[in-house]
mmCIF file of all heavy atoms in Angstrom:
data_model
loop_
_atom_site.group_PDB
_atom_site.id
_atom_site.type_symbol
_atom_site.label_atom_id
_atom_site.label_comp_id
_atom_site.label_asym_id
_atom_site.label_seq_id
_atom_site.Cartn_x
_atom_site.Cartn_y
_atom_site.Cartn_z
ATOM 1 N N MET A 891 -9.144 -12.377 1.570
ATOM 2 C CA MET A 891 -9.113 -10.953 1.787
ATOM 3 C C MET A 891 -7.718 -10.483 2.204
ATOM 4 O O MET A 891 -7.274 -9.440 1.778
ATOM 5 C CB MET A 891 -10.167 -10.591 2.839
ATOM 6 C CG MET A 891 -10.484 -9.154 2.872
ATOM 7 S SD MET A 891 -11.189 -8.632 1.319
ATOM 8 C CE MET A 891 -12.258 -7.383 1.858
ATOM 9 N N ARG A 892 -7.056 -11.258 3.036
ATOM 10 C CA ARG A 892 -5.690 -10.899 3.449
ATOM 11 C C ARG A 892 -4.750 -10.867 2.260
ATOM 12 O O ARG A 892 -3.870 -10.019 2.181
ATOM 13 C CB ARG A 892 -5.159 -11.888 4.487
ATOM 14 C CG ARG A 892 -5.414 -11.415 5.893
ATOM 15 C CD ARG A 892 -4.770 -12.320 6.884
ATOM 16 N NE ARG A 892 -5.767 -13.343 7.211
ATOM 17 C CZ ARG A 892 -5.510 -14.528 7.692
ATOM 18 N NH1 ARG A 892 -4.276 -14.873 7.932
ATOM 19 N NH2 ARG A 892 -6.462 -15.377 7.950
ATOM 20 N N TYR A 893 -4.947 -11.812 1.324
ATOM 21 C CA TYR A 893 -4.114 -11.840 0.129
ATOM 22 C C TYR A 893 -4.241 -10.533 -0.638
ATOM 23 O O TYR A 893 -3.240 -9.945 -1.056
ATOM 24 C CB TYR A 893 -4.494 -13.019 -0.772
ATOM 25 C CG TYR A 893 -3.830 -12.945 -2.121
ATOM 26 C CD1 TYR A 893 -2.506 -13.330 -2.271
ATOM 27 C CD2 TYR A 893 -4.516 -12.463 -3.228
ATOM 28 C CE1 TYR A 893 -1.870 -13.241 -3.493
ATOM 29 C CE2 TYR A 893 -3.893 -12.366 -4.458
ATOM 30 C CZ TYR A 893 -2.579 -12.768 -4.589
ATOM 31 O OH TYR A 893 -1.955 -12.664 -5.797
ATOM 32 N N LEU A 894 -5.459 -10.061 -0.820
ATOM 33 C CA LEU A 894 -5.700 -8.825 -1.555
ATOM 34 C C LEU A 894 -5.041 -7.642 -0.845
ATOM 35 O O LEU A 894 -4.402 -6.802 -1.490
ATOM 36 C CB LEU A 894 -7.196 -8.573 -1.726
ATOM 37 C CG LEU A 894 -7.575 -7.290 -2.452
ATOM 38 C CD1 LEU A 894 -6.982 -7.253 -3.846
ATOM 39 C CD2 LEU A 894 -9.089 -7.168 -2.514
ATOM 40 N N ALA A 895 -5.168 -7.571 0.446
ATOM 41 C CA ALA A 895 -4.555 -6.476 1.204
ATOM 42 C C ALA A 895 -3.041 -6.498 1.055
ATOM 43 O O ALA A 895 -2.414 -5.454 0.836
ATOM 44 C CB ALA A 895 -4.946 -6.565 2.674
ATOM 45 N N ARG A 896 -2.447 -7.684 1.170
ATOM 46 C CA ARG A 896 -0.985 -7.795 1.006
ATOM 47 C C ARG A 896 -0.558 -7.417 -0.396
ATOM 48 O O ARG A 896 0.453 -6.735 -0.581
ATOM 49 C CB ARG A 896 -0.517 -9.214 1.332
ATOM 50 C CG ARG A 896 -0.384 -9.473 2.811
ATOM 51 C CD ARG A 896 0.295 -10.784 3.052
ATOM 52 N NE ARG A 896 -0.446 -11.848 2.383
ATOM 53 C CZ ARG A 896 -0.935 -12.924 2.965
ATOM 54 N NH1 ARG A 896 -0.731 -13.123 4.228
ATOM 55 N NH2 ARG A 896 -1.612 -13.812 2.291
ATOM 56 N N TRP A 897 -1.328 -7.851 -1.398
ATOM 57 C CA TRP A 897 -1.001 -7.533 -2.782
ATOM 58 C C TRP A 897 -1.055 -6.022 -3.006
ATOM 59 O O TRP A 897 -0.168 -5.452 -3.636
ATOM 60 C CB TRP A 897 -1.968 -8.246 -3.734
ATOM 61 C CG TRP A 897 -1.648 -7.989 -5.169
ATOM 62 C CD1 TRP A 897 -0.743 -8.652 -5.933
ATOM 63 C CD2 TRP A 897 -2.220 -6.971 -6.005
ATOM 64 N NE1 TRP A 897 -0.717 -8.111 -7.190
ATOM 65 C CE2 TRP A 897 -1.616 -7.083 -7.268
ATOM 66 C CE3 TRP A 897 -3.187 -5.994 -5.798
ATOM 67 C CZ2 TRP A 897 -1.950 -6.237 -8.313
ATOM 68 C CZ3 TRP A 897 -3.515 -5.152 -6.841
ATOM 69 C CH2 TRP A 897 -2.898 -5.283 -8.075
ATOM 70 N N ARG A 898 -2.106 -5.374 -2.477
ATOM 71 C CA ARG A 898 -2.243 -3.925 -2.637
ATOM 72 C C ARG A 898 -1.083 -3.194 -1.975
ATOM 73 O O ARG A 898 -0.543 -2.233 -2.527
ATOM 74 C CB ARG A 898 -3.569 -3.451 -2.057
ATOM 75 C CG ARG A 898 -4.750 -3.894 -2.895
ATOM 76 C CD ARG A 898 -6.059 -3.740 -2.175
ATOM 77 N NE ARG A 898 -6.453 -2.334 -2.069
ATOM 78 C CZ ARG A 898 -7.487 -1.930 -1.348
ATOM 79 N NH1 ARG A 898 -8.230 -2.790 -0.683
ATOM 80 N NH2 ARG A 898 -7.801 -0.659 -1.292
ATOM 81 N N LEU A 899 -0.667 -3.626 -0.786
ATOM 82 C CA LEU A 899 0.463 -2.992 -0.113
ATOM 83 C C LEU A 899 1.756 -3.215 -0.879
ATOM 84 O O LEU A 899 2.592 -2.312 -0.989
ATOM 85 C CB LEU A 899 0.590 -3.503 1.319
ATOM 86 C CG LEU A 899 -0.514 -3.061 2.272
ATOM 87 C CD1 LEU A 899 -0.330 -3.727 3.632
ATOM 88 C CD2 LEU A 899 -0.561 -1.556 2.402
ATOM 89 N N HIS A 900 1.921 -4.410 -1.423
ATOM 90 C CA HIS A 900 3.109 -4.706 -2.221
ATOM 91 C C HIS A 900 3.160 -3.803 -3.452
ATOM 92 O O HIS A 900 4.203 -3.224 -3.771
ATOM 93 C CB HIS A 900 3.116 -6.186 -2.628
ATOM 94 C CG HIS A 900 4.219 -6.533 -3.562
ATOM 95 N ND1 HIS A 900 5.523 -6.678 -3.150
ATOM 96 C CD2 HIS A 900 4.217 -6.736 -4.902
ATOM 97 C CE1 HIS A 900 6.272 -6.961 -4.200
ATOM 98 N NE2 HIS A 900 5.504 -7.001 -5.264
ATOM 99 N N GLN A 901 2.035 -3.688 -4.143
ATOM 100 C CA GLN A 901 1.969 -2.841 -5.333
ATOM 101 C C GLN A 901 2.216 -1.379 -4.967
ATOM 102 O O GLN A 901 2.928 -0.670 -5.683
ATOM 103 C CB GLN A 901 0.613 -2.985 -6.028
ATOM 104 C CG GLN A 901 0.407 -4.324 -6.690
ATOM 105 C CD GLN A 901 1.436 -4.603 -7.763
ATOM 106 O OE1 GLN A 901 2.347 -5.386 -7.563
ATOM 107 N NE2 GLN A 901 1.290 -3.963 -8.879
ATOM 108 N N ALA A 902 1.641 -0.927 -3.875
ATOM 109 C CA ALA A 902 1.843 0.452 -3.442
ATOM 110 C C ALA A 902 3.314 0.708 -3.118
ATOM 111 O O ALA A 902 3.867 1.740 -3.500
ATOM 112 C CB ALA A 902 0.976 0.762 -2.232
ATOM 113 N N THR A 903 3.950 -0.235 -2.451
ATOM 114 C CA THR A 903 5.376 -0.109 -2.142
ATOM 115 C C THR A 903 6.190 0.010 -3.423
ATOM 116 O O THR A 903 7.067 0.868 -3.540
ATOM 117 C CB THR A 903 5.863 -1.323 -1.325
ATOM 118 O OG1 THR A 903 5.118 -1.381 -0.109
ATOM 119 C CG2 THR A 903 7.342 -1.223 -1.015
ATOM 120 N N ARG A 904 5.878 -0.825 -4.384
ATOM 121 C CA ARG A 904 6.583 -0.791 -5.667
ATOM 122 C C ARG A 904 6.403 0.564 -6.360
ATOM 123 O O ARG A 904 7.362 1.154 -6.850
ATOM 124 C CB ARG A 904 6.092 -1.925 -6.566
ATOM 125 C CG ARG A 904 6.894 -2.105 -7.823
ATOM 126 C CD ARG A 904 6.353 -3.238 -8.681
ATOM 127 N NE ARG A 904 4.973 -3.011 -9.100
ATOM 128 C CZ ARG A 904 4.597 -2.152 -10.074
ATOM 129 N NH1 ARG A 904 5.492 -1.450 -10.705
ATOM 130 N NH2 ARG A 904 3.338 -2.031 -10.395
ATOM 131 N N LEU A 905 5.183 1.055 -6.364
ATOM 132 C CA LEU A 905 4.913 2.350 -7.001
ATOM 133 C C LEU A 905 5.646 3.492 -6.286
ATOM 134 O O LEU A 905 6.183 4.394 -6.936
ATOM 135 C CB LEU A 905 3.408 2.630 -7.000
ATOM 136 C CG LEU A 905 2.568 1.752 -7.910
ATOM 137 C CD1 LEU A 905 1.081 1.966 -7.625
ATOM 138 C CD2 LEU A 905 2.882 2.018 -9.369
ATOM 139 N N LEU A 906 5.664 3.446 -4.974
ATOM 140 C CA LEU A 906 6.343 4.489 -4.209
ATOM 141 C C LEU A 906 7.848 4.475 -4.464
ATOM 142 O O LEU A 906 8.473 5.526 -4.607
ATOM 143 C CB LEU A 906 6.062 4.324 -2.718
ATOM 144 C CG LEU A 906 4.632 4.623 -2.278
ATOM 145 C CD1 LEU A 906 4.388 4.084 -0.873
ATOM 146 C CD2 LEU A 906 4.343 6.110 -2.358
ATOM 147 N N GLN A 907 8.433 3.296 -4.554
ATOM 148 C CA GLN A 907 9.876 3.189 -4.723
ATOM 149 C C GLN A 907 10.320 3.379 -6.167
ATOM 150 O O GLN A 907 11.252 4.134 -6.432
ATOM 151 C CB GLN A 907 10.366 1.832 -4.224
ATOM 152 C CG GLN A 907 10.258 1.685 -2.738
ATOM 153 C CD GLN A 907 10.651 0.298 -2.263
ATOM 154 O OE1 GLN A 907 10.700 -0.652 -3.031
ATOM 155 N NE2 GLN A 907 10.918 0.185 -0.979
ATOM 156 N N GLU A 908 9.670 2.690 -7.088
ATOM 157 C CA GLU A 908 10.144 2.674 -8.470
ATOM 158 C C GLU A 908 9.663 3.869 -9.280
ATOM 159 O O GLU A 908 10.401 4.383 -10.115
ATOM 160 C CB GLU A 908 9.717 1.382 -9.160
ATOM 161 C CG GLU A 908 10.361 0.155 -8.565
ATOM 162 C CD GLU A 908 9.837 -1.139 -9.158
ATOM 163 O OE1 GLU A 908 9.064 -1.094 -10.127
ATOM 164 O OE2 GLU A 908 10.202 -2.201 -8.626
ATOM 165 N N GLN A 909 8.429 4.294 -9.056
ATOM 166 C CA GLN A 909 7.883 5.372 -9.867
ATOM 167 C C GLN A 909 7.836 6.699 -9.121
ATOM 168 O O GLN A 909 7.394 7.704 -9.669
ATOM 169 C CB GLN A 909 6.494 4.998 -10.379
ATOM 170 C CG GLN A 909 6.538 3.818 -11.319
ATOM 171 C CD GLN A 909 5.188 3.546 -11.956
ATOM 172 O OE1 GLN A 909 4.296 4.373 -11.928
ATOM 173 N NE2 GLN A 909 5.054 2.366 -12.532
ATOM 174 N N ARG A 910 8.250 6.678 -7.849
ATOM 175 C CA ARG A 910 8.302 7.888 -7.037
ATOM 176 C C ARG A 910 6.964 8.634 -6.984
ATOM 177 O O ARG A 910 6.907 9.851 -7.040
ATOM 178 C CB ARG A 910 9.391 8.828 -7.553
ATOM 179 C CG ARG A 910 10.771 8.250 -7.571
ATOM 180 C CD ARG A 910 11.340 8.272 -6.197
ATOM 181 N NE ARG A 910 12.766 7.938 -6.267
ATOM 182 C CZ ARG A 910 13.392 7.304 -5.321
ATOM 183 N NH1 ARG A 910 12.739 6.949 -4.246
ATOM 184 N NH2 ARG A 910 14.657 7.033 -5.422
ATOM 185 N N LEU A 911 5.888 7.867 -6.864
ATOM 186 C CA LEU A 911 4.570 8.478 -6.721
ATOM 187 C C LEU A 911 4.404 9.003 -5.302
ATOM 188 O O LEU A 911 5.080 8.564 -4.378
ATOM 189 C CB LEU A 911 3.468 7.457 -7.007
ATOM 190 C CG LEU A 911 3.388 6.860 -8.406
ATOM 191 C CD1 LEU A 911 2.200 5.923 -8.500
ATOM 192 C CD2 LEU A 911 3.302 7.934 -9.467
ATOM 193 N N THR A 912 3.472 9.922 -5.135
ATOM 194 C CA THR A 912 3.127 10.371 -3.788
ATOM 195 C C THR A 912 2.291 9.283 -3.123
ATOM 196 O O THR A 912 1.785 8.373 -3.789
ATOM 197 C CB THR A 912 2.317 11.676 -3.819
ATOM 198 O OG1 THR A 912 1.057 11.406 -4.436
ATOM 199 C CG2 THR A 912 3.059 12.774 -4.551
ATOM 200 N N LEU A 913 2.124 9.409 -1.820
ATOM 201 C CA LEU A 913 1.310 8.440 -1.091
ATOM 202 C C LEU A 913 -0.121 8.435 -1.627
ATOM 203 O O LEU A 913 -0.726 7.381 -1.806
ATOM 204 C CB LEU A 913 1.342 8.755 0.402
ATOM 205 C CG LEU A 913 0.836 7.684 1.346
ATOM 206 C CD1 LEU A 913 1.617 6.393 1.179
ATOM 207 C CD2 LEU A 913 0.922 8.159 2.771
ATOM 208 N N GLN A 914 -0.662 9.610 -1.905
ATOM 209 C CA GLN A 914 -2.022 9.708 -2.443
ATOM 210 C C GLN A 914 -2.117 9.063 -3.829
ATOM 211 O O GLN A 914 -3.073 8.356 -4.128
ATOM 212 C CB GLN A 914 -2.490 11.166 -2.504
ATOM 213 C CG GLN A 914 -3.917 11.313 -3.001
ATOM 214 C CD GLN A 914 -4.934 10.589 -2.116
ATOM 215 O OE1 GLN A 914 -4.940 10.781 -0.909
ATOM 216 N NE2 GLN A 914 -5.783 9.770 -2.701
ATOM 217 N N GLN A 915 -1.133 9.294 -4.681
ATOM 218 C CA GLN A 915 -1.149 8.705 -6.019
ATOM 219 C C GLN A 915 -1.078 7.183 -5.946
ATOM 220 O O GLN A 915 -1.784 6.484 -6.676
ATOM 221 C CB GLN A 915 0.007 9.239 -6.857
ATOM 222 C CG GLN A 915 -0.131 10.683 -7.241
ATOM 223 C CD GLN A 915 1.140 11.248 -7.850
ATOM 224 O OE1 GLN A 915 2.247 10.880 -7.455
ATOM 225 N NE2 GLN A 915 0.968 12.150 -8.798
ATOM 226 N N ALA A 916 -0.236 6.664 -5.062
ATOM 227 C CA ALA A 916 -0.131 5.217 -4.898
ATOM 228 C C ALA A 916 -1.438 4.654 -4.344
ATOM 229 O O ALA A 916 -1.901 3.601 -4.788
ATOM 230 C CB ALA A 916 1.038 4.868 -3.980
ATOM 231 N N ALA A 917 -2.036 5.358 -3.395
ATOM 232 C CA ALA A 917 -3.313 4.919 -2.817
ATOM 233 C C ALA A 917 -4.376 4.843 -3.902
ATOM 234 O O ALA A 917 -5.116 3.851 -3.990
ATOM 235 C CB ALA A 917 -3.744 5.868 -1.706
ATOM 236 N N ASP A 918 -4.462 5.863 -4.730
ATOM 237 C CA ASP A 918 -5.427 5.872 -5.828
ATOM 238 C C ASP A 918 -5.187 4.695 -6.777
ATOM 239 O O ASP A 918 -6.132 4.042 -7.212
ATOM 240 C CB ASP A 918 -5.337 7.174 -6.625
ATOM 241 C CG ASP A 918 -5.839 8.386 -5.858
ATOM 242 O OD1 ASP A 918 -6.602 8.209 -4.884
ATOM 243 O OD2 ASP A 918 -5.450 9.508 -6.247
ATOM 244 N N ALA A 919 -3.936 4.417 -7.064
ATOM 245 C CA ALA A 919 -3.591 3.377 -8.024
ATOM 246 C C ALA A 919 -3.946 1.975 -7.546
ATOM 247 O O ALA A 919 -4.264 1.101 -8.356
ATOM 248 C CB ALA A 919 -2.097 3.443 -8.358
ATOM 249 N N VAL A 920 -3.881 1.748 -6.239
ATOM 250 C CA VAL A 920 -4.136 0.395 -5.729
ATOM 251 C C VAL A 920 -5.491 0.239 -5.042
ATOM 252 O O VAL A 920 -5.804 -0.823 -4.517
ATOM 253 C CB VAL A 920 -3.001 -0.096 -4.786
ATOM 254 C CG1 VAL A 920 -1.683 -0.174 -5.524
ATOM 255 C CG2 VAL A 920 -2.892 0.773 -3.552
ATOM 256 N N GLY A 921 -6.286 1.318 -5.032
ATOM 257 C CA GLY A 921 -7.650 1.177 -4.551
ATOM 258 C C GLY A 921 -7.939 1.656 -3.141
ATOM 259 O O GLY A 921 -9.009 1.373 -2.603
ATOM 260 N N TYR A 922 -7.016 2.381 -2.519
ATOM 261 C CA TYR A 922 -7.313 2.996 -1.225
ATOM 262 C C TYR A 922 -7.885 4.374 -1.491
ATOM 263 O O TYR A 922 -7.472 5.055 -2.430
ATOM 264 C CB TYR A 922 -6.047 3.103 -0.362
ATOM 265 C CG TYR A 922 -5.633 1.788 0.246
ATOM 266 C CD1 TYR A 922 -4.730 0.956 -0.390
ATOM 267 C CD2 TYR A 922 -6.156 1.368 1.460
ATOM 268 C CE1 TYR A 922 -4.359 -0.255 0.151
ATOM 269 C CE2 TYR A 922 -5.786 0.148 2.019
ATOM 270 C CZ TYR A 922 -4.885 -0.651 1.358
ATOM 271 O OH TYR A 922 -4.522 -1.849 1.899
ATOM 272 N N SER A 923 -8.803 4.821 -0.662
ATOM 273 C CA SER A 923 -9.464 6.092 -0.929
ATOM 274 C C SER A 923 -8.590 7.300 -0.608
ATOM 275 O O SER A 923 -8.732 8.345 -1.235
ATOM 276 C CB SER A 923 -10.787 6.180 -0.181
ATOM 277 O OG SER A 923 -10.592 6.001 1.197
ATOM 278 N N THR A 924 -7.688 7.159 0.367
ATOM 279 C CA THR A 924 -6.797 8.272 0.710
ATOM 280 C C THR A 924 -5.406 7.750 1.058
ATOM 281 O O THR A 924 -5.231 6.576 1.420
ATOM 282 C CB THR A 924 -7.312 9.080 1.929
ATOM 283 O OG1 THR A 924 -7.226 8.255 3.091
ATOM 284 C CG2 THR A 924 -8.727 9.582 1.727
ATOM 285 N N GLY A 925 -4.442 8.651 0.984
ATOM 286 C CA GLY A 925 -3.086 8.299 1.393
ATOM 287 C C GLY A 925 -3.007 7.972 2.872
ATOM 288 O O GLY A 925 -2.224 7.121 3.287
ATOM 289 N N ALA A 926 -3.833 8.635 3.681
ATOM 290 C CA ALA A 926 -3.834 8.373 5.127
ATOM 291 C C ALA A 926 -4.276 6.939 5.430
ATOM 292 O O ALA A 926 -3.710 6.278 6.304
ATOM 293 C CB ALA A 926 -4.734 9.369 5.843
ATOM 294 N N ILE A 927 -5.265 6.462 4.704
ATOM 295 C CA ILE A 927 -5.734 5.091 4.911
ATOM 296 C C ILE A 927 -4.656 4.099 4.481
ATOM 297 O O ILE A 927 -4.425 3.085 5.147
ATOM 298 C CB ILE A 927 -7.070 4.857 4.185
ATOM 299 C CG1 ILE A 927 -8.168 5.685 4.851
ATOM 300 C CG2 ILE A 927 -7.435 3.372 4.175
ATOM 301 C CD1 ILE A 927 -9.486 5.687 4.123
ATOM 302 N N LEU A 928 -3.971 4.406 3.385
ATOM 303 C CA LEU A 928 -2.858 3.545 2.951
ATOM 304 C C LEU A 928 -1.755 3.542 4.003
ATOM 305 O O LEU A 928 -1.212 2.486 4.333
ATOM 306 C CB LEU A 928 -2.321 4.011 1.599
ATOM 307 C CG LEU A 928 -1.095 3.289 1.063
ATOM 308 C CD1 LEU A 928 -1.343 1.792 0.921
ATOM 309 C CD2 LEU A 928 -0.665 3.889 -0.270
ATOM 310 N N ALA A 929 -1.443 4.702 4.558
ATOM 311 C CA ALA A 929 -0.409 4.784 5.595
ATOM 312 C C ALA A 929 -0.781 3.938 6.809
ATOM 313 O O ALA A 929 0.062 3.237 7.367
ATOM 314 C CB ALA A 929 -0.201 6.238 6.011
ATOM 315 N N ARG A 930 -2.062 3.980 7.195
ATOM 316 C CA ARG A 930 -2.523 3.148 8.324
ATOM 317 C C ARG A 930 -2.406 1.665 7.993
ATOM 318 O O ARG A 930 -2.060 0.854 8.854
ATOM 319 C CB ARG A 930 -3.945 3.489 8.715
ATOM 320 C CG ARG A 930 -3.995 4.687 9.631
ATOM 321 C CD ARG A 930 -5.388 4.987 10.076
ATOM 322 N NE ARG A 930 -5.761 6.188 9.298
ATOM 323 C CZ ARG A 930 -6.974 6.539 8.970
ATOM 324 N NH1 ARG A 930 -8.001 5.843 9.337
ATOM 325 N NH2 ARG A 930 -7.185 7.625 8.270
ATOM 326 N N ALA A 931 -2.693 1.307 6.749
ATOM 327 C CA ALA A 931 -2.570 -0.098 6.333
ATOM 328 C C ALA A 931 -1.109 -0.545 6.411
ATOM 329 O O ALA A 931 -0.820 -1.657 6.846
ATOM 330 C CB ALA A 931 -3.122 -0.280 4.928
ATOM 331 N N PHE A 932 -0.182 0.335 5.983
ATOM 332 C CA PHE A 932 1.240 0.020 6.107
ATOM 333 C C PHE A 932 1.614 -0.181 7.571
ATOM 334 O O PHE A 932 2.335 -1.116 7.915
ATOM 335 C CB PHE A 932 2.109 1.140 5.526
ATOM 336 C CG PHE A 932 2.334 1.054 4.041
ATOM 337 C CD1 PHE A 932 2.001 2.125 3.223
ATOM 338 C CD2 PHE A 932 2.900 -0.058 3.455
ATOM 339 C CE1 PHE A 932 2.220 2.074 1.855
ATOM 340 C CE2 PHE A 932 3.126 -0.125 2.100
ATOM 341 C CZ PHE A 932 2.786 0.937 1.298
ATOM 342 N N LYS A 933 1.120 0.699 8.430
ATOM 343 C CA LYS A 933 1.435 0.616 9.854
ATOM 344 C C LYS A 933 0.902 -0.685 10.458
ATOM 345 O O LYS A 933 1.599 -1.354 11.215
ATOM 346 C CB LYS A 933 0.848 1.820 10.586
ATOM 347 C CG LYS A 933 1.270 1.925 12.022
ATOM 348 C CD LYS A 933 0.765 3.199 12.656
ATOM 349 C CE LYS A 933 1.200 3.282 14.101
ATOM 350 N NZ LYS A 933 0.753 4.503 14.736
ATOM 351 N N ARG A 934 -0.334 -1.047 10.119
ATOM 352 C CA ARG A 934 -0.917 -2.308 10.619
ATOM 353 C C ARG A 934 -0.110 -3.513 10.142
ATOM 354 O O ARG A 934 0.168 -4.430 10.919
ATOM 355 C CB ARG A 934 -2.357 -2.451 10.146
ATOM 356 C CG ARG A 934 -3.378 -1.884 11.048
ATOM 357 C CD ARG A 934 -4.786 -2.345 10.707
ATOM 358 N NE ARG A 934 -5.091 -2.250 9.270
ATOM 359 C CZ ARG A 934 -5.566 -1.176 8.658
ATOM 360 N NH1 ARG A 934 -5.778 -0.074 9.322
ATOM 361 N NH2 ARG A 934 -5.823 -1.200 7.360
ATOM 362 N N ALA A 935 0.270 -3.506 8.881
ATOM 363 C CA ALA A 935 1.025 -4.620 8.323
ATOM 364 C C ALA A 935 2.390 -4.731 9.000
ATOM 365 O O ALA A 935 2.847 -5.823 9.315
ATOM 366 C CB ALA A 935 1.189 -4.461 6.825
ATOM 367 N N ARG A 936 3.007 -3.606 9.235
ATOM 368 C CA ARG A 936 4.329 -3.600 9.876
ATOM 369 C C ARG A 936 4.240 -4.107 11.317
ATOM 370 O O ARG A 936 5.072 -4.881 11.761
ATOM 371 C CB ARG A 936 4.924 -2.211 9.831
ATOM 372 C CG ARG A 936 6.335 -2.148 10.296
ATOM 373 C CD ARG A 936 6.933 -0.802 9.959
ATOM 374 N NE ARG A 936 8.247 -0.654 10.474
ATOM 375 C CZ ARG A 936 9.352 -0.984 9.832
ATOM 376 N NH1 ARG A 936 9.269 -1.448 8.605
ATOM 377 N NH2 ARG A 936 10.531 -0.816 10.372
ATOM 378 N N SER A 937 3.217 -3.685 12.040
ATOM 379 C CA SER A 937 3.083 -4.124 13.430
ATOM 380 C C SER A 937 2.703 -5.595 13.512
ATOM 381 O O SER A 937 3.035 -6.277 14.480
ATOM 382 C CB SER A 937 2.092 -3.263 14.191
ATOM 383 O OG SER A 937 0.792 -3.428 13.690
ATOM 384 N N ALA A 938 2.022 -6.115 12.493
ATOM 385 C CA ALA A 938 1.655 -7.527 12.477
ATOM 386 C C ALA A 938 2.880 -8.415 12.270
ATOM 387 O O ALA A 938 2.887 -9.568 12.689
ATOM 388 C CB ALA A 938 0.638 -7.787 11.377
ATOM 389 N N LEU A 939 3.932 -7.858 11.656
ATOM 390 C CA LEU A 939 5.143 -8.631 11.427
ATOM 391 C C LEU A 939 5.979 -8.755 12.695
ATOM 392 O O LEU A 939 6.830 -9.625 12.796
ATOM 393 C CB LEU A 939 6.002 -7.972 10.322
ATOM 394 C CG LEU A 939 5.390 -7.985 8.935
ATOM 395 C CD1 LEU A 939 6.269 -7.178 7.985
ATOM 396 C CD2 LEU A 939 5.224 -9.403 8.436
ATOM 397 N N GLY A 940 5.721 -7.900 13.648
ATOM 398 C CA GLY A 940 6.386 -7.989 14.931
ATOM 399 C C GLY A 940 7.511 -7.103 15.052
ATOM 400 O O GLY A 940 8.490 -6.843 15.214
#
């Protein structure tokens, strides 16, 4: 499950940077229901890295 979450965040990051999608568009593309939930996932991942 962690692998899938990391993969989705990686893909979302790529979409945000390379294709200049909005947070909501990236969330839709990788399977998050809202941009806010994707933002929280980014925040959790960042805090887990220390």
Side-chain angles (χ1 to χ4, degrees):
M891 196 63 148
R892 267 186 270 157
Y893 170 79
L894 179 59
R896 280 190 303 236
W897 182 84
R898 289 166 73 188
L899 291 175
H900 174 76
Q901 290 300 105
T903 300
R904 189 180 60 76
L905 291 170
L906 290 165
Q907 291 176 342
E908 295 174 7
Q909 295 187 15
R910 301 282 190 212
L911 297 182
T912 66
L913 194 58
Q914 182 60 51
Q915 290 169 325
D918 290 340
V920 298
Y922 284 92
S923 57
T924 68
I927 292 172
L928 175 58
R930 277 183 254 154
F932 275 124
K933 188 175 180 179
R934 270 194 313 273
R936 188 169 175 90
S937 66
L939 293 174

